[in-house]
C-alpha cells in the first residue's frame, strides 16, 4: 500500500482525502458504509498496473475527509454527496470531460445519481451490490419509511434514524467488534439491531475473520473509526427523507449512461423484496436503457464484493470499461 499516494483537496466546502495511483484514463472508486477508500485497495493497484489512474476518496463524513458538520444530517443529502463528486472531478480531472465511475453500497447510490444528474461527466458506470434506487412518488415510500414498513422498528435503517442512539449502542460494544460484525456479515437476510441486551451480547461472540480480511486490514478501519466515530456515515441514512423531497424534479427520469451491474448472490440488498424481479424482470433496463445485458450475479459472495472477490470484480470492471476508453 506504500505505492498508493495520498493527498487532501478542498472541494465543495470540505477537505476531502483521496488515495490514487497510476496514469491514464481516470477511474473514480466510491466506497460505502462502513467502508473507506481502503475498501478499493485491490482495485487501485490492479487498475494502476493496467493503464488507468485509479482514485478513491474518503467520502463526506468518512475517514480522513473532514469539514462536514456531522451534527447536521441535512448536510449529507444526495445533493451534497453528488456535489462533492462533481467538485472532486473538477479538481482531479480538469482535462477529462468524462471519467469512469465504480461504486459500491452508498458509493453506488451516489454513482447512480451522479449519472442521473450529470451524465456529461461519466463515460461508464459500474455499480456493485446496489441497483438503481429510483424515487417513488408516494411520500410514504421514502426509503426510511419503506424499510420500516417491510422490516419493522429493529431494521438497521430505522435504528439509524435517531441521532446518537445507535452510536451509543456501538460504543458499548467497541469499534473493533462492530467493524468485525459488519464486514463479516454473510446472511442474505436483513440486518437487525434490536433494542435488547441480547443485541449487545451478540457482539461479544468471537468472530473469525474471513480469508480476504486480515487483522491489518481490520486495524486500518478501526483506527480511522476510533478517530471519527460512525456518525458521518450514519447521517447518509438520516438524510433519506430529505433525499426523497430533493429528488422530485427527476421523477421518472432515465439514467442515460452505460452501466454494468454486479452483485453477490448472498448480498442482503439483492434479497430485499421485489429487487430480483426489478433487476431481472425488465424494470431495471427500462429505467437504465444503457444497462449492460449481462447482469453478473456472483455465486457464494456477500455484500463486500470488491474485497471478498477482488480478482473477479476487477475482471468484470476491466472488461466493461475497456470498450469506452
Amino acid at each position: 500500500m506504500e505505492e498508493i499516494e495520498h493527498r487532501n483537496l478542498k472541494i465543495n466546502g470540505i477537505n476531502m482525502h483521496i488515495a490514487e495511483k497510476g496514469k491514464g484514463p481516470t477511474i473514480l472508486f466510491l466506497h460505502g458504509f462502513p467502508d473507506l477508500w481502503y475498501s478499493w485497495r485491490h482495485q487501485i493497484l490492479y487498475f494502476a498496473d493496467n493503464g488507468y489512474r485509479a482514485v478513491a476518496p474518503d467520502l463526506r463524513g468518512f475517514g480522513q475527509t473532514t469539514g462536514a458538520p456531522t451534527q447536521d444530517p441535512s448536510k449529507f443529502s444526495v445533493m451534497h454527496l453528488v456535489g462533492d463528486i462533481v467538485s472532486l472531478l473538477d479538481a482531479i480531472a480538469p482535462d477529462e470531460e468524462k471519467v469512469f465511475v465504480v461504486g459500491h453500497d452508498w458509493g453506488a447510490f451516489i454513482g447512480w445519481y451522479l449519472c442521473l444528474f450529470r451524465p456529461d461527466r461519466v463515460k461508464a458506470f459500474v455499480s456493485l451490490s446496489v441497483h438503481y434506487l429510483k424515487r417513488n412518488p408516494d411520500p410514504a415510500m421514502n426509503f426510511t419509511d419503506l424499510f420500516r414498513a417491510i422490516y419493522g422498528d429493529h431494521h438497521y435503517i430505522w435504528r439509524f434514524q435517531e441521532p446518537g442512539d445507535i452510536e451509543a449502542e456501538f460504543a458499548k460494544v467497541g469499534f473493533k467488534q462492530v467493524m468485525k460484525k459488519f464486514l463479516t456479515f454473510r446472511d442474505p437476510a436483513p440486518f437487525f439491531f434490536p433494542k435488547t441486551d441480547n443485541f449487545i451480547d451478540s457482539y461479544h461472540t468471537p468472530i473469525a475473520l474471513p480469508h480476504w480480511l486480515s487483522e491489518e486490514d481490520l486495524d486500518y478501519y478501526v483506527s480511522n473509526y476510533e478517530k471519527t466515530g460512525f456518525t458521518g456515515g450514519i447521517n447518509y441514512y438520516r438524510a433519506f427523507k430529505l433525499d426523497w423531497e430533493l429528488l422530485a424534479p427527476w421523477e421518472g427520469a432515465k439514467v442515460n449512461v452505460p452501466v454494468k451491474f454486479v452483485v453477490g448472490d448472498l448480498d442482503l440488498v439483492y434479497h430485499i423484496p421485489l429487487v430480483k424481479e426489478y433487476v431481472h424482470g425488465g424494470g431495471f433496463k427500462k429505467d437504465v436503457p444503457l444497462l449492460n445485458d449481462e447482469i453478473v450475479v456472483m455465486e457464494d459472495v456477500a455484500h463486500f464484493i470488491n474485497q471478498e472477490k477482488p480478482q473477479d470484480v476487477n475482471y468484470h470492471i476491466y472488461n466493461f470499461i475497456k470498450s469506452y476508453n
Side-chain angles (χ1 to χ4, degrees):
M1 296 301 147
E2 293 82 4
E3 304 166 349
I4 298 173
E5 298 179 354
H6 297 263
R7 57 184 171 132
N8 289 70
L9 299 168
K10 293 188 179 300
I11 57 100
N12 199 31
I14 63 175
N15 190 34
M16 180 169 275
H17 166 249
I18 66 169
E20 60 185 329
K21 188 176 189 293
K23 297 184 182 298
T26 297
I27 309 177
L28 185 65
F29 292 94
L30 305 177
H31 69 79
F33 177 85
D35 273 320
L36 302 164
W37 76 268
Y38 191 78
S39 67
W40 298 111
R41 57 198 179 278
H42 306 295
Q43 285 71 39
I44 293 173
L45 297 177
Y46 175 85
F47 284 95
D49 287 343
N50 283 276
Y52 292 91
R53 178 192 182 202
V55 181
D58 281 334
L59 296 174
R60 172 179 290 246
F62 286 90
Q64 298 173 60
T65 290
T66 60
T70 55
Q71 75 281 4
D72 184 358
S74 72
K75 301 302 183 184
F76 292 79
S77 76
V78 64
M79 296 302 175
H80 291 86
L81 304 179
V82 175
D84 291 346
I85 301 308
V86 173
S87 183
L88 177 62
L89 292 178
D90 289 342
I92 65 171
D95 299 324
E96 292 181 79
E97 182 181 357
K98 297 183 178 184
V99 303
F100 296 112
V101 179
V102 181
H104 171 253
D105 189 82
W106 268 103
F109 181 90
I110 297 168
W112 282 114
Y113 282 98
L114 174 66
C115 292
L116 184 66
F117 300 161
R118 297 298 305 271
D120 58 307
R121 304 304 298 269
V122 184
K123 286 182 185 177
F125 173 49
V126 179
S127 178
L128 306 180
S129 298
V130 177
H131 57 283
Y132 177 47
L133 297 171
K134 67 177 182 178
R135 181 184 189 269
N136 189 302
D138 182 352
M141 297 292 281
N142 72 79
F143 296 126
T144 303
D145 291 332
L146 173 62
F147 283 109
R148 186 188 188 193
I150 296 171
Y151 296 122
D153 290 355
H154 297 309
H155 187 253
Y156 76 99
I157 290 178
W158 185 253
R159 284 296 316 277
F160 281 1
Q161 294 307 304
E162 183 181 341
D165 178 49
I166 199 67
E167 291 96 326
E169 296 285 309
F170 287 160
K172 296 174 186 176
V173 175
F175 288 101
K176 189 162 190 174
Q177 282 300 104
V178 171
M179 289 304 302
K180 272 189 178 183
K181 191 79 166 182
F182 272 123
L183 293 174
T184 61
F185 189 76
R186 290 182 58 79
D187 192 337
F191 215 177
F192 291 110
F193 293 145
K195 284 192 172 184
T196 66
D197 290 339
N198 289 338
F199 163 65
I200 300 296
D201 293 341
S202 71
Y203 273 71
H204 294 300
T205 303
I207 301 172
L209 295 182
H211 68 88
W212 54 266
L213 184 70
S214 69
E215 285 288 347
E216 182 182 9
D217 296 331
L218 181 64
D219 287 344
Y220 184 85
Y221 282 110
V222 172
S223 66
N224 274 266
Y225 279 102
E226 285 176 340
K227 295 172 185 175
T228 65
F230 290 107
T231 300
I234 292 172
N235 279 340
Y236 288 43
Y237 299 91
R238 291 173 179 153
F240 260 151
K241 289 188 178 183
L242 176 59
D243 289 342
W244 182 88
E245 297 176 8
L246 296 174
L247 289 170
W250 290 272
E251 184 69 51
K254 311 290 186 186
V255 176
N256 287 306
V257 168
V259 175
K260 180 78 173 181
F261 181 60
V262 183
V263 67
D265 65 349
L266 298 179
D267 195 312
L268 73 168
V269 180
Y270 188 56
H271 288 267
I272 293 170
L274 301 180
V275 165
K276 292 179 185 178
E277 291 83 352
Y278 173 74
V279 168
H280 301 289
F284 197 7
K285 182 73 171 180
K286 182 179 178 181
D287 293 330
V288 188
L290 301 180
L291 176 68
N292 187 273
D293 289 334
E294 185 199 9
I295 291 172
V296 177
V297 181
M298 295 174 60
E299 293 185 7
D300 195 34
V301 180
H303 184 65
F304 297 97
I305 187 169
N306 50 315
Q307 298 180 79
E308 184 176 347
K309 292 288 184 179
Q311 291 180 332
D312 293 336
V313 168
N314 293 345
Y315 169 84
H316 290 301
I317 296 171
Y318 182 81
N319 279 279
F320 178 63
I321 68 173
K322 69 180 182 180
S323 302
Y324 300 95
N325 283 339

